[in-house]
Amino acid sequence: MLISPISCNDTNRFKGMAILLIVLHNFYHVLPQAPIENEFFFNIENTNYYLKSVIDSFSPISITSLFTDFFSFFGHYGVALFIFLSGYGLTIKYSSKEFSNIEKIHFIWKRILRFWKVIIPLIPLSVLVKMIKYGNGLWETQTDHIGEYLSIITFTQTLIPGKEFVVSGPWWFFGAILQLYIIYIFLLHKKSNRFLLIISLSALFIQAITIFWGWENILFRLRYNSIGWLPIFCLGIYYAKKPVTTCKPSIPIILMILFLCSNVNAYFWLFSSLLFPLAFIPLFRNFPIKSFWEFMGKISFYLFAIHSFIRGAFFGLIGEEKIVEQNLGVPIGILYLLTSILIAYIFQQLLNRIYTYCQTIIVQKKQ
């Protein structure tokens, strides 16, 4: 047993750390010559390239690439931390509650509305970016673009081949997490630990089969839909039901070493998303500047939704090649992060005020 109970403040801090990993990962992994992560499928060449880049970084000229390459290769594990916390949080909140079928539908509808409140205001921004990018050519493919936005609003983009990363690449997560919410409320809620284990092992076995037969496209599809994330989601549920009060200091360190080594084998890699939160949470629970991480956690939803557009603006203004050629990865990455945090906070405050005002008007009209 490895993780002591996670409080609400802990959750916010870990969400803050997770979103920092994700935001910097999504900036650095698209730069020229950046190590490619093993996120949706495994390729040993990706690991070899990363290890070579680490060795090459120990020179005065390229020492900063240790920072940028780390986030490029490992930053995506912030997603695993988010999903673990989602399973944990849902169980803490709803494990003692009984749901009727109508209440289950309301449970899902409430989360869809929460996503829409952030996604829909950003669609005009996305259209503006596309107009700048494509110019008059945008309207020549108008039908395709309308279909992309419909798939985003209906959270079906991850089910359509070739449309997984439309509008905003990181938004595939909305479809995947909504699937997990549906699975939780209709299948996993109040289920035994044995059932959770069976579901997790089944999901891992299905992914292992795709690796064994070399079905990379199928594995890719599983990993940006719910099946690829069911084991870590179920692990979060389990630890909410079986909280731990003690943790030997050596165990998280051993787990972190195992996690770092997990990218050397395809089958071992399947367990990397499970190892990461088990090691990360005990090791970073008392990480300094807690108030900053709590703040980051509170704006993490808005920061996640908007950061890819800010990334696009930075690349448009500066250029990916120039960032690499002039060794600007660290300063530009930090500037992009700070800009994203500021805009996400403003976006959060603006939306909250708009929706509060609308609710006030609706209540007044009803009276």
Side-chain angles (χ1 to χ4, degrees), residues 277-299:
L278 293 179
F280 187 91
I281 289 174
L283 288 174
F284 288 87
R285 183 170 221 139
N286 296 311
F287 201 69
I289 53 174
K290 290 184 177 181
S291 59
F292 169 76
W293 297 117
E294 288 177 19
F295 166 76
M296 287 285 286
K298 290 175 182 177
I299 66 167

mmCIF file with all atom_site columns, all heavy atoms in Angstrom, residues 277-299:
data_model
loop_
_atom_site.group_PDB
_atom_site.id
_atom_site.type_symbol
_atom_site.label_atom_id
_atom_site.label_alt_id
_atom_site.label_comp_id
_atom_site.label_asym_id
_atom_site.label_entity_id
_atom_site.label_seq_id
_atom_site.pdbx_PDB_ins_code
_atom_site.Cartn_x
_atom_site.Cartn_y
_atom_site.Cartn_z
_atom_site.occupancy
_atom_site.B_iso_or_equiv
_atom_site.pdbx_formal_charge
_atom_site.auth_seq_id
_atom_site.auth_comp_id
_atom_site.auth_asym_id
_atom_site.auth_atom_id
_atom_site.pdbx_PDB_model_num
ATOM 1   N N   . PRO A 1 277 ? 1.747  7.711  -11.164 1.00 0.00 ? 277 PRO A N   1
ATOM 2   C CA  . PRO A 1 277 ? 1.116  8.354  -9.999  1.00 0.00 ? 277 PRO A CA  1
ATOM 3   C C   . PRO A 1 277 ? 1.473  7.694  -8.685  1.00 0.00 ? 277 PRO A C   1
ATOM 4   O O   . PRO A 1 277 ? 1.552  8.372  -7.648  1.00 0.00 ? 277 PRO A O   1
ATOM 5   C CB  . PRO A 1 277 ? -0.388 8.234  -10.288 1.00 0.00 ? 277 PRO A CB  1
ATOM 6   C CG  . PRO A 1 277 ? -0.511 7.142  -11.276 1.00 0.00 ? 277 PRO A CG  1
ATOM 7   C CD  . PRO A 1 277 ? 0.738  7.151  -12.090 1.00 0.00 ? 277 PRO A CD  1
ATOM 8   N N   . LEU A 1 278 ? 1.705  6.382  -8.704  1.00 0.00 ? 278 LEU A N   1
ATOM 9   C CA  . LEU A 1 278 ? 2.080  5.688  -7.471  1.00 0.00 ? 278 LEU A CA  1
ATOM 10  C C   . LEU A 1 278 ? 3.407  6.194  -6.927  1.00 0.00 ? 278 LEU A C   1
ATOM 11  O O   . LEU A 1 278 ? 3.614  6.254  -5.713  1.00 0.00 ? 278 LEU A O   1
ATOM 12  C CB  . LEU A 1 278 ? 2.161  4.182  -7.720  1.00 0.00 ? 278 LEU A CB  1
ATOM 13  C CG  . LEU A 1 278 ? 0.848  3.463  -8.036  1.00 0.00 ? 278 LEU A CG  1
ATOM 14  C CD1 . LEU A 1 278 ? 1.108  1.982  -8.280  1.00 0.00 ? 278 LEU A CD1 1
ATOM 15  C CD2 . LEU A 1 278 ? -0.159 3.648  -6.912  1.00 0.00 ? 278 LEU A CD2 1
ATOM 16  N N   . ALA A 1 279 ? 4.303  6.557  -7.827  1.00 0.00 ? 279 ALA A N   1
ATOM 17  C CA  . ALA A 1 279 ? 5.596  7.100  -7.405  1.00 0.00 ? 279 ALA A CA  1
ATOM 18  C C   . ALA A 1 279 ? 5.527  8.609  -7.182  1.00 0.00 ? 279 ALA A C   1
ATOM 19  O O   . ALA A 1 279 ? 6.065  9.133  -6.201  1.00 0.00 ? 279 ALA A O   1
ATOM 20  C CB  . ALA A 1 279 ? 6.654  6.782  -8.461  1.00 0.00 ? 279 ALA A CB  1
ATOM 21  N N   . PHE A 1 280 ? 4.839  9.299  -8.072  1.00 0.00 ? 280 PHE A N   1
ATOM 22  C CA  . PHE A 1 280 ? 4.848  10.759 -8.074  1.00 0.00 ? 280 PHE A CA  1
ATOM 23  C C   . PHE A 1 280 ? 4.156  11.346 -6.846  1.00 0.00 ? 280 PHE A C   1
ATOM 24  O O   . PHE A 1 280 ? 4.673  12.283 -6.209  1.00 0.00 ? 280 PHE A O   1
ATOM 25  C CB  . PHE A 1 280 ? 4.160  11.270 -9.347  1.00 0.00 ? 280 PHE A CB  1
ATOM 26  C CG  . PHE A 1 280 ? 4.252  12.753 -9.544  1.00 0.00 ? 280 PHE A CG  1
ATOM 27  C CD1 . PHE A 1 280 ? 5.307  13.305 -10.255 1.00 0.00 ? 280 PHE A CD1 1
ATOM 28  C CD2 . PHE A 1 280 ? 3.288  13.609 -9.023  1.00 0.00 ? 280 PHE A CD2 1
ATOM 29  C CE1 . PHE A 1 280 ? 5.396  14.674 -10.444 1.00 0.00 ? 280 PHE A CE1 1
ATOM 30  C CE2 . PHE A 1 280 ? 3.369  14.978 -9.205  1.00 0.00 ? 280 PHE A CE2 1
ATOM 31  C CZ  . PHE A 1 280 ? 4.425  15.511 -9.919  1.00 0.00 ? 280 PHE A CZ  1
ATOM 32  N N   . ILE A 1 281 ? 2.997  10.808 -6.488  1.00 0.00 ? 281 ILE A N   1
ATOM 33  C CA  . ILE A 1 281 ? 2.197  11.404 -5.414  1.00 0.00 ? 281 ILE A CA  1
ATOM 34  C C   . ILE A 1 281 ? 2.929  11.377 -4.063  1.00 0.00 ? 281 ILE A C   1
ATOM 35  O O   . ILE A 1 281 ? 3.012  12.414 -3.385  1.00 0.00 ? 281 ILE A O   1
ATOM 36  C CB  . ILE A 1 281 ? 0.803  10.746 -5.348  1.00 0.00 ? 281 ILE A CB  1
ATOM 37  C CG1 . ILE A 1 281 ? -0.015 11.195 -6.571  1.00 0.00 ? 281 ILE A CG1 1
ATOM 38  C CG2 . ILE A 1 281 ? 0.078  11.115 -4.051  1.00 0.00 ? 281 ILE A CG2 1
ATOM 39  C CD1 . ILE A 1 281 ? -1.357 10.510 -6.697  1.00 0.00 ? 281 ILE A CD1 1
ATOM 40  N N   . PRO A 1 282 ? 3.489  10.249 -3.622  1.00 0.00 ? 282 PRO A N   1
ATOM 41  C CA  . PRO A 1 282 ? 4.226  10.294 -2.351  1.00 0.00 ? 282 PRO A CA  1
ATOM 42  C C   . PRO A 1 282 ? 5.487  11.154 -2.410  1.00 0.00 ? 282 PRO A C   1
ATOM 43  O O   . PRO A 1 282 ? 5.816  11.837 -1.435  1.00 0.00 ? 282 PRO A O   1
ATOM 44  C CB  . PRO A 1 282 ? 4.592  8.814  -2.110  1.00 0.00 ? 282 PRO A CB  1
ATOM 45  C CG  . PRO A 1 282 ? 3.672  8.027  -2.960  1.00 0.00 ? 282 PRO A CG  1
ATOM 46  C CD  . PRO A 1 282 ? 3.397  8.872  -4.157  1.00 0.00 ? 282 PRO A CD  1
ATOM 47  N N   . LEU A 1 283 ? 6.178  11.154 -3.553  1.00 0.00 ? 283 LEU A N   1
ATOM 48  C CA  . LEU A 1 283 ? 7.440  11.881 -3.654  1.00 0.00 ? 283 LEU A CA  1
ATOM 49  C C   . LEU A 1 283 ? 7.241  13.399 -3.688  1.00 0.00 ? 283 LEU A C   1
ATOM 50  O O   . LEU A 1 283 ? 8.081  14.158 -3.187  1.00 0.00 ? 283 LEU A O   1
ATOM 51  C CB  . LEU A 1 283 ? 8.212  11.433 -4.897  1.00 0.00 ? 283 LEU A CB  1
ATOM 52  C CG  . LEU A 1 283 ? 8.826  10.028 -4.840  1.00 0.00 ? 283 LEU A CG  1
ATOM 53  C CD1 . LEU A 1 283 ? 9.442  9.670  -6.195  1.00 0.00 ? 283 LEU A CD1 1
ATOM 54  C CD2 . LEU A 1 283 ? 9.881  9.934  -3.738  1.00 0.00 ? 283 LEU A CD2 1
ATOM 55  N N   . PHE A 1 284 ? 6.132  13.848 -4.292  1.00 0.00 ? 284 PHE A N   1
ATOM 56  C CA  . PHE A 1 284 ? 5.947  15.288 -4.500  1.00 0.00 ? 284 PHE A CA  1
ATOM 57  C C   . PHE A 1 284 ? 4.815  15.871 -3.657  1.00 0.00 ? 284 PHE A C   1
ATOM 58  O O   . PHE A 1 284 ? 4.397  16.995 -3.885  1.00 0.00 ? 284 PHE A O   1
ATOM 59  C CB  . PHE A 1 284 ? 5.688  15.573 -5.985  1.00 0.00 ? 284 PHE A CB  1
ATOM 60  C CG  . PHE A 1 284 ? 6.910  15.390 -6.839  1.00 0.00 ? 284 PHE A CG  1
ATOM 61  C CD1 . PHE A 1 284 ? 7.224  14.140 -7.368  1.00 0.00 ? 284 PHE A CD1 1
ATOM 62  C CD2 . PHE A 1 284 ? 7.749  16.448 -7.117  1.00 0.00 ? 284 PHE A CD2 1
ATOM 63  C CE1 . PHE A 1 284 ? 8.351  13.957 -8.158  1.00 0.00 ? 284 PHE A CE1 1
ATOM 64  C CE2 . PHE A 1 284 ? 8.879  16.287 -7.902  1.00 0.00 ? 284 PHE A CE2 1
ATOM 65  C CZ  . PHE A 1 284 ? 9.178  15.029 -8.420  1.00 0.00 ? 284 PHE A CZ  1
ATOM 66  N N   . ARG A 1 285 ? 4.359  15.099 -2.678  1.00 0.00 ? 285 ARG A N   1
ATOM 67  C CA  . ARG A 1 285 ? 3.241  15.572 -1.854  1.00 0.00 ? 285 ARG A CA  1
ATOM 68  C C   . ARG A 1 285 ? 3.580  16.858 -1.114  1.00 0.00 ? 285 ARG A C   1
ATOM 69  O O   . ARG A 1 285 ? 2.746  17.747 -0.964  1.00 0.00 ? 285 ARG A O   1
ATOM 70  C CB  . ARG A 1 285 ? 2.851  14.470 -0.861  1.00 0.00 ? 285 ARG A CB  1
ATOM 71  C CG  . ARG A 1 285 ? 1.656  14.847 -0.011  1.00 0.00 ? 285 ARG A CG  1
ATOM 72  C CD  . ARG A 1 285 ? 1.147  13.667 0.772   1.00 0.00 ? 285 ARG A CD  1
ATOM 73  N NE  . ARG A 1 285 ? -0.300 13.668 0.760   1.00 0.00 ? 285 ARG A NE  1
ATOM 74  C CZ  . ARG A 1 285 ? -1.043 12.592 0.612   1.00 0.00 ? 285 ARG A CZ  1
ATOM 75  N NH1 . ARG A 1 285 ? -0.480 11.436 0.429   1.00 0.00 ? 285 ARG A NH1 1
ATOM 76  N NH2 . ARG A 1 285 ? -2.350 12.670 0.637   1.00 0.00 ? 285 ARG A NH2 1
ATOM 77  N N   . ASN A 1 286 ? 4.783  16.984 -0.627  1.00 0.00 ? 286 ASN A N   1
ATOM 78  C CA  . ASN A 1 286 ? 5.197  18.167 0.143   1.00 0.00 ? 286 ASN A CA  1
ATOM 79  C C   . ASN A 1 286 ? 6.138  19.062 -0.650  1.00 0.00 ? 286 ASN A C   1
ATOM 80  O O   . ASN A 1 286 ? 7.000  19.730 -0.073  1.00 0.00 ? 286 ASN A O   1
ATOM 81  C CB  . ASN A 1 286 ? 5.848  17.722 1.453   1.00 0.00 ? 286 ASN A CB  1
ATOM 82  C CG  . ASN A 1 286 ? 4.877  16.989 2.359   1.00 0.00 ? 286 ASN A CG  1
ATOM 83  O OD1 . ASN A 1 286 ? 3.768  17.463 2.594   1.00 0.00 ? 286 ASN A OD1 1
ATOM 84  N ND2 . ASN A 1 286 ? 5.281  15.818 2.848   1.00 0.00 ? 286 ASN A ND2 1
ATOM 85  N N   . PHE A 1 287 ? 5.954  19.089 -1.934  1.00 0.00 ? 287 PHE A N   1
ATOM 86  C CA  . PHE A 1 287 ? 6.794  19.923 -2.792  1.00 0.00 ? 287 PHE A CA  1
ATOM 87  C C   . PHE A 1 287 ? 6.584  21.395 -2.438  1.00 0.00 ? 287 PHE A C   1
ATOM 88  O O   . PHE A 1 287 ? 5.458  21.810 -2.106  1.00 0.00 ? 287 PHE A O   1
ATOM 89  C CB  . PHE A 1 287 ? 6.432  19.672 -4.259  1.00 0.00 ? 287 PHE A CB  1
ATOM 90  C CG  . PHE A 1 287 ? 7.512  20.063 -5.220  1.00 0.00 ? 287 PHE A CG  1
ATOM 91  C CD1 . PHE A 1 287 ? 8.709  19.362 -5.281  1.00 0.00 ? 287 PHE A CD1 1
ATOM 92  C CD2 . PHE A 1 287 ? 7.345  21.143 -6.076  1.00 0.00 ? 287 PHE A CD2 1
ATOM 93  C CE1 . PHE A 1 287 ? 9.708  19.718 -6.171  1.00 0.00 ? 287 PHE A CE1 1
ATOM 94  C CE2 . PHE A 1 287 ? 8.330  21.512 -6.974  1.00 0.00 ? 287 PHE A CE2 1
ATOM 95  C CZ  . PHE A 1 287 ? 9.517  20.797 -7.019  1.00 0.00 ? 287 PHE A CZ  1
ATOM 96  N N   . PRO A 1 288 ? 7.656  22.207 -2.471  1.00 0.00 ? 288 PRO A N   1
ATOM 97  C CA  . PRO A 1 288 ? 7.541  23.620 -2.057  1.00 0.00 ? 288 PRO A CA  1
ATOM 98  C C   . PRO A 1 288 ? 6.541  24.418 -2.889  1.00 0.00 ? 288 PRO A C   1
ATOM 99  O O   . PRO A 1 288 ? 6.039  23.953 -3.899  1.00 0.00 ? 288 PRO A O   1
ATOM 100 C CB  . PRO A 1 288 ? 8.967  24.146 -2.254  1.00 0.00 ? 288 PRO A CB  1
ATOM 101 C CG  . PRO A 1 288 ? 9.841  22.933 -2.214  1.00 0.00 ? 288 PRO A CG  1
ATOM 102 C CD  . PRO A 1 288 ? 9.031  21.818 -2.805  1.00 0.00 ? 288 PRO A CD  1
ATOM 103 N N   . ILE A 1 289 ? 6.301  25.656 -2.434  1.00 0.00 ? 289 ILE A N   1
ATOM 104 C CA  . ILE A 1 289 ? 5.355  26.627 -3.016  1.00 0.00 ? 289 ILE A CA  1
ATOM 105 C C   . ILE A 1 289 ? 3.978  25.991 -3.264  1.00 0.00 ? 289 ILE A C   1
ATOM 106 O O   . ILE A 1 289 ? 3.442  26.031 -4.368  1.00 0.00 ? 289 ILE A O   1
ATOM 107 C CB  . ILE A 1 289 ? 5.907  27.306 -4.291  1.00 0.00 ? 289 ILE A CB  1
ATOM 108 C CG1 . ILE A 1 289 ? 6.395  26.282 -5.335  1.00 0.00 ? 289 ILE A CG1 1
ATOM 109 C CG2 . ILE A 1 289 ? 7.007  28.281 -3.953  1.00 0.00 ? 289 ILE A CG2 1
ATOM 110 C CD1 . ILE A 1 289 ? 6.819  26.909 -6.663  1.00 0.00 ? 289 ILE A CD1 1
ATOM 111 N N   . LYS A 1 290 ? 3.400  25.440 -2.194  1.00 0.00 ? 290 LYS A N   1
ATOM 112 C CA  . LYS A 1 290 ? 2.116  24.750 -2.304  1.00 0.00 ? 290 LYS A CA  1
ATOM 113 C C   . LYS A 1 290 ? 1.008  25.665 -2.819  1.00 0.00 ? 290 LYS A C   1
ATOM 114 O O   . LYS A 1 290 ? 0.132  25.224 -3.570  1.00 0.00 ? 290 LYS A O   1
ATOM 115 C CB  . LYS A 1 290 ? 1.721  24.168 -0.944  1.00 0.00 ? 290 LYS A CB  1
ATOM 116 C CG  . LYS A 1 290 ? 2.590  22.996 -0.502  1.00 0.00 ? 290 LYS A CG  1
ATOM 117 C CD  . LYS A 1 290 ? 2.078  22.412 0.811   1.00 0.00 ? 290 LYS A CD  1
ATOM 118 C CE  . LYS A 1 290 ? 2.907  21.187 1.211   1.00 0.00 ? 290 LYS A CE  1
ATOM 119 N NZ  . LYS A 1 290 ? 2.404  20.586 2.476   1.00 0.00 ? 290 LYS A NZ  1
ATOM 120 N N   . SER A 1 291 ? 1.036  26.936 -2.406  1.00 0.00 ? 291 SER A N   1
ATOM 121 C CA  . SER A 1 291 ? -0.022 27.856 -2.825  1.00 0.00 ? 291 SER A CA  1
ATOM 122 C C   . SER A 1 291 ? -0.021 28.042 -4.343  1.00 0.00 ? 291 SER A C   1
ATOM 123 O O   . SER A 1 291 ? -1.086 28.170 -4.959  1.00 0.00 ? 291 SER A O   1
ATOM 124 C CB  . SER A 1 291 ? 0.137  29.207 -2.131  1.00 0.00 ? 291 SER A CB  1
ATOM 125 O OG  . SER A 1 291 ? 1.404  29.774 -2.429  1.00 0.00 ? 291 SER A OG  1
ATOM 126 N N   . PHE A 1 292 ? 1.174  28.045 -4.944  1.00 0.00 ? 292 PHE A N   1
ATOM 127 C CA  . PHE A 1 292 ? 1.262  28.174 -6.403  1.00 0.00 ? 292 PHE A CA  1
ATOM 128 C C   . PHE A 1 292 ? 0.642  26.955 -7.081  1.00 0.00 ? 292 PHE A C   1
ATOM 129 O O   . PHE A 1 292 ? -0.124 27.093 -8.047  1.00 0.00 ? 292 PHE A O   1
ATOM 130 C CB  . PHE A 1 292 ? 2.714  28.334 -6.841  1.00 0.00 ? 292 PHE A CB  1
ATOM 131 C CG  . PHE A 1 292 ? 2.912  28.220 -8.330  1.00 0.00 ? 292 PHE A CG  1
ATOM 132 C CD1 . PHE A 1 292 ? 2.555  29.269 -9.160  1.00 0.00 ? 292 PHE A CD1 1
ATOM 133 C CD2 . PHE A 1 292 ? 3.449  27.067 -8.890  1.00 0.00 ? 292 PHE A CD2 1
ATOM 134 C CE1 . PHE A 1 292 ? 2.718  29.161 -10.549 1.00 0.00 ? 292 PHE A CE1 1
ATOM 135 C CE2 . PHE A 1 292 ? 3.628  26.954 -10.265 1.00 0.00 ? 292 PHE A CE2 1
ATOM 136 C CZ  . PHE A 1 292 ? 3.251  28.005 -11.092 1.00 0.00 ? 292 PHE A CZ  1
ATOM 137 N N   . TRP A 1 293 ? 0.951  25.758 -6.594  1.00 0.00 ? 293 TRP A N   1
ATOM 138 C CA  . TRP A 1 293 ? 0.420  24.553 -7.217  1.00 0.00 ? 293 TRP A CA  1
ATOM 139 C C   . TRP A 1 293 ? -1.089 24.460 -7.030  1.00 0.00 ? 293 TRP A C   1
ATOM 140 O O   . TRP A 1 293 ? -1.802 23.979 -7.933  1.00 0.00 ? 293 TRP A O   1
ATOM 141 C CB  . TRP A 1 293 ? 1.107  23.314 -6.636  1.00 0.00 ? 293 TRP A CB  1
ATOM 142 C CG  . TRP A 1 293 ? 2.574  23.281 -6.926  1.00 0.00 ? 293 TRP A CG  1
ATOM 143 C CD1 . TRP A 1 293 ? 3.605  23.316 -6.031  1.00 0.00 ? 293 TRP A CD1 1
ATOM 144 C CD2 . TRP A 1 293 ? 3.191  23.243 -8.222  1.00 0.00 ? 293 TRP A CD2 1
ATOM 145 N NE1 . TRP A 1 293 ? 4.809  23.295 -6.669  1.00 0.00 ? 293 TRP A NE1 1
ATOM 146 C CE2 . TRP A 1 293 ? 4.600  23.252 -8.021  1.00 0.00 ? 293 TRP A CE2 1
ATOM 147 C CE3 . TRP A 1 293 ? 2.704  23.199 -9.535  1.00 0.00 ? 293 TRP A CE3 1
ATOM 148 C CZ2 . TRP A 1 293 ? 5.509  23.210 -9.071  1.00 0.00 ? 293 TRP A CZ2 1
ATOM 149 C CZ3 . TRP A 1 293 ? 3.607  23.176 -10.587 1.00 0.00 ? 293 TRP A CZ3 1
ATOM 150 C CH2 . TRP A 1 293 ? 4.986  23.176 -10.352 1.00 0.00 ? 293 TRP A CH2 1
ATOM 151 N N   . GLU A 1 294 ? -1.602 24.932 -5.892  1.00 0.00 ? 294 GLU A N   1
ATOM 152 C CA  . GLU A 1 294 ? -3.048 24.951 -5.692  1.00 0.00 ? 294 GLU A CA  1
ATOM 153 C C   . GLU A 1 294 ? -3.710 25.909 -6.670  1.00 0.00 ? 294 GLU A C   1
ATOM 154 O O   . GLU A 1 294 ? -4.774 25.601 -7.226  1.00 0.00 ? 294 GLU A O   1
ATOM 155 C CB  . GLU A 1 294 ? -3.377 25.332 -4.251  1.00 0.00 ? 294 GLU A CB  1
ATOM 156 C CG  . GLU A 1 294 ? -3.057 24.235 -3.250  1.00 0.00 ? 294 GLU A CG  1
ATOM 157 C CD  . GLU A 1 294 ? -3.317 24.659 -1.814  1.00 0.00 ? 294 GLU A CD  1
ATOM 158 O OE1 . GLU A 1 294 ? -4.066 25.633 -1.613  1.00 0.00 ? 294 GLU A OE1 1
ATOM 159 O OE2 . GLU A 1 294 ? -2.765 24.024 -0.901  1.00 0.00 ? 294 GLU A OE2 1
ATOM 160 N N   . PHE A 1 295 ? -3.093 27.067 -6.885  1.00 0.00 ? 295 PHE A N   1
ATOM 161 C CA  . PHE A 1 295 ? -3.604 28.012 -7.870  1.00 0.00 ? 295 PHE A CA  1
ATOM 162 C C   . PHE A 1 295 ? -3.608 27.385 -9.262  1.00 0.00 ? 295 PHE A C   1
ATOM 163 O O   . PHE A 1 295 ? -4.593 27.491 -10.005 1.00 0.00 ? 295 PHE A O   1
ATOM 164 C CB  . PHE A 1 295 ? -2.750 29.282 -7.867  1.00 0.00 ? 295 PHE A CB  1
ATOM 165 C CG  . PHE A 1 295 ? -2.974 30.173 -9.056  1.00 0.00 ? 295 PHE A CG  1
ATOM 166 C CD1 . PHE A 1 295 ? -4.102 30.967 -9.145  1.00 0.00 ? 295 PHE A CD1 1
ATOM 167 C CD2 . PHE A 1 295 ? -2.051 30.210 -10.107 1.00 0.00 ? 295 PHE A CD2 1
ATOM 168 C CE1 . PHE A 1 295 ? -4.315 31.784 -10.255 1.00 0.00 ? 295 PHE A CE1 1
ATOM 169 C CE2 . PHE A 1 295 ? -2.252 31.016 -11.201 1.00 0.00 ? 295 PHE A CE2 1
ATOM 170 C CZ  . PHE A 1 295 ? -3.390 31.806 -11.277 1.00 0.00 ? 295 PHE A CZ  1
ATOM 171 N N   . MET A 1 296 ? -2.523 26.710 -9.615  1.00 0.00 ? 296 MET A N   1
ATOM 172 C CA  . MET A 1 296 ? -2.436 26.054 -10.916 1.00 0.00 ? 296 MET A CA  1
ATOM 173 C C   . MET A 1 296 ? -3.520 24.988 -11.065 1.00 0.00 ? 296 MET A C   1
ATOM 174 O O   . MET A 1 296 ? -4.113 24.820 -12.144 1.00 0.00 ? 296 MET A O   1
ATOM 175 C CB  . MET A 1 296 ? -1.057 25.421 -11.086 1.00 0.00 ? 296 MET A CB  1
ATOM 176 C CG  . MET A 1 296 ? 0.067  26.406 -11.313 1.00 0.00 ? 296 MET A CG  1
ATOM 177 S SD  . MET A 1 296 ? 0.057  27.094 -12.984 1.00 0.00 ? 296 MET A SD  1
ATOM 178 C CE  . MET A 1 296 ? 0.654  25.677 -13.920 1.00 0.00 ? 296 MET A CE  1
ATOM 179 N N   . GLY A 1 297 ? -3.785 24.262 -9.983  1.00 0.00 ? 297 GLY A N   1
ATOM 180 C CA  . GLY A 1 297 ? -4.818 23.248 -10.032 1.00 0.00 ? 297 GLY A CA  1
ATOM 181 C C   . GLY A 1 297 ? -6.199 23.838 -10.256 1.00 0.00 ? 297 GLY A C   1
ATOM 182 O O   . GLY A 1 297 ? -7.017 23.266 -10.993 1.00 0.00 ? 297 GLY A O   1
ATOM 183 N N   . LYS A 1 298 ? -6.457 24.995 -9.670  1.00 0.00 ? 298 LYS A N   1
ATOM 184 C CA  . LYS A 1 298 ? -7.773 25.625 -9.804  1.00 0.00 ? 298 LYS A CA  1
ATOM 185 C C   . LYS A 1 298 ? -8.024 26.150 -11.207 1.00 0.00 ? 298 LYS A C   1
ATOM 186 O O   . LYS A 1 298 ? -9.180 26.238 -11.647 1.00 0.00 ? 298 LYS A O   1
ATOM 187 C CB  . LYS A 1 298 ? -7.904 26.751 -8.777  1.00 0.00 ? 298 LYS A CB  1
ATOM 188 C CG  . LYS A 1 298 ? -8.012 26.247 -7.345  1.00 0.00 ? 298 LYS A CG  1
ATOM 189 C CD  . LYS A 1 298 ? -8.012 27.384 -6.339  1.00 0.00 ? 298 LYS A CD  1
ATOM 190 C CE  . LYS A 1 298 ? -8.059 26.849 -4.910  1.00 0.00 ? 298 LYS A CE  1
ATOM 191 N NZ  . LYS A 1 298 ? -7.991 27.930 -3.899  1.00 0.00 ? 298 LYS A NZ  1
ATOM 192 N N   . ILE A 1 299 ? -6.961 26.511 -11.928 1.00 0.00 ? 299 ILE A N   1
ATOM 193 C CA  . ILE A 1 299 ? -7.162 26.999 -13.305 1.00 0.00 ? 299 ILE A CA  1
ATOM 194 C C   . ILE A 1 299 ? -6.801 25.927 -14.337 1.00 0.00 ? 299 ILE A C   1
ATOM 195 O O   . ILE A 1 299 ? -6.790 26.203 -15.538 1.00 0.00 ? 299 ILE A O   1
ATOM 196 C CB  . ILE A 1 299 ? -6.331 28.271 -13.578 1.00 0.00 ? 299 ILE A CB  1
ATOM 197 C CG1 . ILE A 1 299 ? -4.819 27.954 -13.545 1.00 0.00 ? 299 ILE A CG1 1
ATOM 198 C CG2 . ILE A 1 299 ? -6.689 29.381 -12.616 1.00 0.00 ? 299 ILE A CG2 1
ATOM 199 C CD1 . ILE A 1 299 ? -3.960 29.080 -14.113 1.00 0.00 ? 299 ILE A CD1 1
#
